[in-house]
Amino acid sequence: RKEVEQDPGPFNVPEGATVAFNCTYSNSASQSFFWYRQDCRKEPKLLMSVYSSGNEDGRFTAQLNRASQYISLLIRDSKLSDSATYLCVVNRIGTGNQFYFGTGTSLTVIP
Amino acid sequence: DVKVTQSSRYLVKRTGEKVFLECVQDMDHENMFWYRQDPGLGLRLIYFSYDVKMKEKGDIPEGYSVSREKKERFSLILESASTNQTSMYLCASSLLPGLAGGQNTGELFFGEGSRLTVL
């Protein structure tokens, strides 16, 4: 079983729509959780960290459910500039700081 | 801001050549990583290092080696490049979560990537 699983999409949504991405992780010892954004042929960049209490940054809301080992990202009022691949990333401390990636969910926002 | 710099954005090499990919970070991070990213396969860890002169194999170390002689620099070496090593190579660094105060959540910072083509 993969450490981190995401629906690869693609998600094609109209501008202004609300879209939700989900991610599950398999190891209950995982400690930190992140959503990264990756534009085509660019490096991944941190979108937001995900906290147990849930957190919001403008149009973006991230939720963590440790009991279900489930992470979500909600994007409200989608913009054309939101088109990208969104990576779910999970971290735990083993030998050093270890990260586990989902394969990414592709989003295209359509005019 | 944290800066992770990779020495080459684009390289074209021939089969059998030795290839060096250099990565430097400027934030005194203990942990450094080399990944490759291929369509449909996501990011796969090649090697990582949690301290100077320390290295650990990741998921796909075959055909690669690494060097970490200084804390800020982590090099990836392809001893004899092969066509199946054509890929995007991403270097990254991180602190351990909790160090350097509450602002640090231990996230990864990536370099811009090195796109290697082996002919």
Side-chain angles (χ1 to χ4, degrees):
Chain A
R1 185 183 170 189
K2 288 184 182 177
E3 287 267 356
V4 180
E5 302 218 43
Q6 284 182 258
D7 179 350
F11 285 67
N12 299 312
V13 302
E15 268 186 294
T18 295
V19 61
F21 303 141
N22 303 316
C23 169
T24 57
Y25 60 96
S26 61
N27 193 315
S28 60
S30 300
Q31 293 163 274
S32 301
F33 308 89
F34 309 93
W35 283 102
Y36 277 74
R37 172 195 167 124
Q38 187 173 23
D39 294 296
C40 188
R41 302 179 74 83
K42 300 274 193 175
E43 77 275 22
K45 293 185 178 178
L46 181 68
L47 178 66
M48 54 199 305
S49 302
V50 188
Y51 303 111
S52 295
S53 54
N55 47 303
E56 188 173 305
D57 182 2
R59 299 181 293 108
F60 299 85
T61 301
Q63 298 276 355
L64 167 64
N65 184 321
R66 284 190 183 268
S68 302
Q69 295 180 201
Y70 172 92
I71 306 158
S72 66
L73 176 69
L74 184 77
I75 306 175
R76 290 181 299 279
D77 188 23
S78 299
K79 311 289 185 194
L80 297 176
S81 58
D82 294 333
S83 298
T85 297
Y86 291 83
L87 297 169
C88 177
V89 183
V90 169
N91 162 260
R92 64 176 178 272
I93 309 301
T95 306
N97 201 12
Q98 299 193 17
F99 294 85
Y100 302 90
F101 294 81
T103 52
T105 300
S106 174
L107 171 67
T108 301
V109 181
I110 303 162
Chain B
D1 283 349
V2 174
K3 185 103 172 128
V4 180
T5 304
Q6 293 184 228
S7 54
S8 305
R9 293 292 305 278
Y10 300 95
L11 302 95
V12 179
K13 298 291 181 181
R14 297 211 173 269
T15 302
E17 282 192 80
K18 192 168 186 175
V19 182
F20 292 89
L21 299 178
E22 302 281 342
C23 176
V24 177
Q25 50 93 4
D26 65 359
M27 281 299 291
D28 205 35
H29 286 174
E30 296 87 6
N31 299 277
M32 295 189 75
F33 306 81
W34 275 105
Y35 297 91
R36 64 177 283 178
Q37 188 174 30
D38 302 286
L41 297 177
L43 274 89
R44 292 182 290 168
L45 180 64
I46 304 171
Y47 268 96
F48 69 99
S49 169
Y50 54 90
D51 205 348
V52 176
K53 297 192 185 293
M54 306 303 290
K55 58 186 179 184
E56 294 283 338
K57 292 180 180 180
D59 301 316
I60 51 163
E62 296 80 17
Y64 303 94
S65 62
V66 290
S67 172
R68 190 147 181 222
E69 295 297 316
K70 293 185 178 181
K71 192 173 186 180
E72 67 270 19
R73 187 179 297 271
F74 192 36
S75 303
L76 179 69
I77 303 140
L78 289 67
E79 293 289 341
S80 178
S82 62
T83 54
N84 63 11
Q85 292 179 309
T86 291
S87 187
M88 168 76 127
Y89 290 88
L90 288 159
C91 176
S93 71
S94 78
L95 280 171
L96 284 174
L99 293 182
Q103 295 296 322
N104 167 42
T105 57
E107 73 260 30
L108 268 177
F109 296 86
F110 285 91
E112 291 184 317
S114 298
R115 191 167 292 277
L116 172 66
T117 301
V118 183
L119 301 175

